[in-house]
Amino acid sequence: MTEPAKLALEVDAWVQGHEADLVRTRRHLHAHPELAFAEHRTTAVIGAALESIGLTPRVLPDGTGLTCEIGSDGPLVALRADIDALPLADEKSVPYRSTVENVCHGCGHDAHAAILVGAAAALAARSLPGRVRLIFQPAEETVPGGAVSAVSAGALDGVGRIFALHCDPRLETGRIGLRAGPITAACDQLDVRLVGAGGHTARPHLTQDVVYALGRLITDLPGLLSRRVDPRAALSLVWGQVEAGRAANAIPMSGRLRGTLRVFDRHAWDAAGDLVRRLVDEIVAPCGVRAETTYLRGVPPVVNDAASVEVQRAAVLSALGPTAVADTEQSMGGEDFAWYLDSVPGALARLGVRRPGAPPFDLHQGTFDIDEDALEVGVRYTVAVALEALGSLGR
């Protein structure tokens, strides 16, 4: 029997004996969600689970999230799970419904954490050809993201490769989505406030019309960006908020636009802020109004390292078989796993969590839930990718 086949049987046996524990951990975390950098209970629960299998977790300096190492020498691979929840009301009628008002795990981070706890237990029971560092990261849902704090605290010191999973409710349970290159986009926030001398709508020629200027910005800025940025960068500016005025016959003295800019190309992302500010000023200049532009950089695009994706592919094949491999689409959503990839090669995969035959649904909703059979799939894959990566680094 080959070593990958032997490993798959060993992990299968472990999962079959601990499936109820995986579900129990995930449901406990789901029922007690915590927002970014407030994940104290979550951190304590994860820490206690790791200590119960003989590991020594260390809480990150901000007080939430933790790291933990398995093994004592050799090459080092990191596995990351995020642990924070969203400011959403849980709208499900299930026994593990959130007990915290207007906070719920609407993105699957409870599943990510439970899977990594399970994978830790399975890995700790084996003799490893190297070391595995677990990163239970806080505050993925904030900007610039808890990954920045984790990296600053040394979470990547000595790491050769890093991997992460993210729930994908469009993908059926049992499948793992892989993609080399950009898989998620950079996501920035744009806030433009226009100020001018308002006045009566009967005499617009005597005013500085911020409403007209806002209208120009709404249409012209996305259009001009499409002519100033290489279309292969897939840059997208979408407005989400516009405010101006109170009366139909009065031109207001100020107005506001807010939106998000998303892009797959790292170089285009680096240049986007300065370009947007310059274009805003150019567009509104003929209107005589003043623009106050706030451009908040969020997270970079996640660009999966091709060699790391091949490690993922080998792990899926050995742990789950060829039918489990799925090509996955790019997403314009943001993910702060990108900050880790600034320092070391690695890759993000997508975990199918949709029950076969069920209708598709989406993340960041109060009705979000997973097919809990996906937990054992996640553990099998995560153990396999850690061992495949250690093998690749050891060669």
Side-chain angles (χ1 to χ4, degrees), residues 192 194 210-218 242-244 255-257:
V192 182
L194 300 184
V210 299
V211 175
Y212 177 72
L214 287 171
R216 293 194 61 178
L217 272 181
I218 289 170
V242 57
E243 296 177 351
R256 186 184 189 191
L257 275 176

Side-chain angles (χ1 to χ4, degrees), residues 53-71:
I53 56 176
L55 300 178
T56 307
R58 297 182 179 179
V59 177
L60 291 169
D62 288 321
T64 63
L66 49 84
T67 60
C68 185
E69 204 151 305
I70 305 172

Side-chain angles (χ1 to χ4, degrees), residues 15-311:
V15 168
Q16 289 173 10
H18 295 83
E19 185 177 359
D21 295 334
L22 292 173
V23 172
R24 189 178 304 111
T25 299
R26 183 259 166 171
R27 290 188 175 191
H28 180 83
L29 296 176
H30 194 90
H32 303 282
E34 295 171 300
L35 296 176
F37 290 122
E39 311 96 331
H40 298 285
R41 178 173 181 155
T42 303
T43 299
V45 168
I46 294 169
L50 297 175
E51 289 171 352
S52 73
I53 56 176
L55 300 178
T56 307
R58 297 182 179 179
V59 177
L60 291 169
D62 288 321
T64 63
L66 49 84
T67 60
C68 185
E69 204 151 305
I70 305 172
S72 57
D73 56 23
L76 177 59
V77 168
L79 304 172
R80 173 270 207 170
D82 36 15
I83 64 173
D84 57 324
L86 287 161
L88 293 173
D90 194 340
E91 299 175 9
K92 301 184 299 296
S93 296
V94 292
Y96 47 90
R97 185 176 183 271
S98 173
T99 60
V100 183
E101 185 176 3
N102 295 322
V103 180
C104 80
H105 276 292
C107 200
H109 296 186
D110 53 334
H112 303 166
I115 287 168
L116 192 52
V117 168
L123 287 165
R126 293 180 54 84
S127 176
L128 302 180
R131 295 169 291 153
V132 176
R133 181 173 296 154
L134 315 172
I135 304 173
F136 292 88
Q137 180 212 299
E140 190 277 328
E141 298 290 355
T142 62
V143 175
V148 174
S149 298
V151 172
S152 297
L156 290 183
D157 291 355
V159 169
R161 291 190 190 278
I162 185 168
F163 297 90
L165 271 180
H166 199 294
C167 289
D168 186 348
R170 298 164 302 176
L171 196 62
E172 288 190 346
T173 298
R175 308 200 74 197
I176 304 290
L178 307 178
R179 186 183 187 93
I183 186 171
T184 69
C187 181
D188 299 344
Q189 294 183 24
L190 175 60
D191 190 326
V192 182
R193 182 171 180 264
L194 300 184
V195 180
H200 202 293
T201 58
R203 291 174 289 279
H205 58 293
L206 301 180
T207 72
Q208 296 166 341
D209 192 341
V210 299
V211 175
Y212 177 72
L214 287 171
R216 293 194 61 178
L217 272 181
I218 289 170
T219 58
D220 289 0
L221 184 54
L224 285 173
L225 285 170
S226 74
R227 298 303 185 269
R228 300 288 184 90
V229 177
D230 189 328
R232 291 171 294 184
L235 185 147
S236 171
L237 172 62
V238 179
W239 302 111
Q241 181 182 8
V242 57
E243 296 177 351
R246 299 289 182 185
N249 62 346
I251 294 174
M253 297 178 67
S254 66
R256 186 184 189 191
L257 275 176
R258 298 179 70 217
T260 58
L261 183 144
R262 301 169 190 270
V263 62
F264 285 126
D265 183 82
R266 181 59 187 261
H267 297 297
W269 180 64
D270 288 337
D274 288 341
L275 176 59
V276 165
R277 293 185 188 93
R278 184 167 67 252
L279 289 176
V280 167
D281 289 340
E282 291 175 0
I283 292 167
V284 304
C287 304
V289 302
R290 185 175 82 254
E292 299 171 356
T293 302
T294 301
Y295 191 94
L296 179 61
R297 275 166 64 91
V299 295
V302 171
V303 182
N304 282 344
D305 167 62
S308 297
V309 173
E310 289 311 304
V311 169

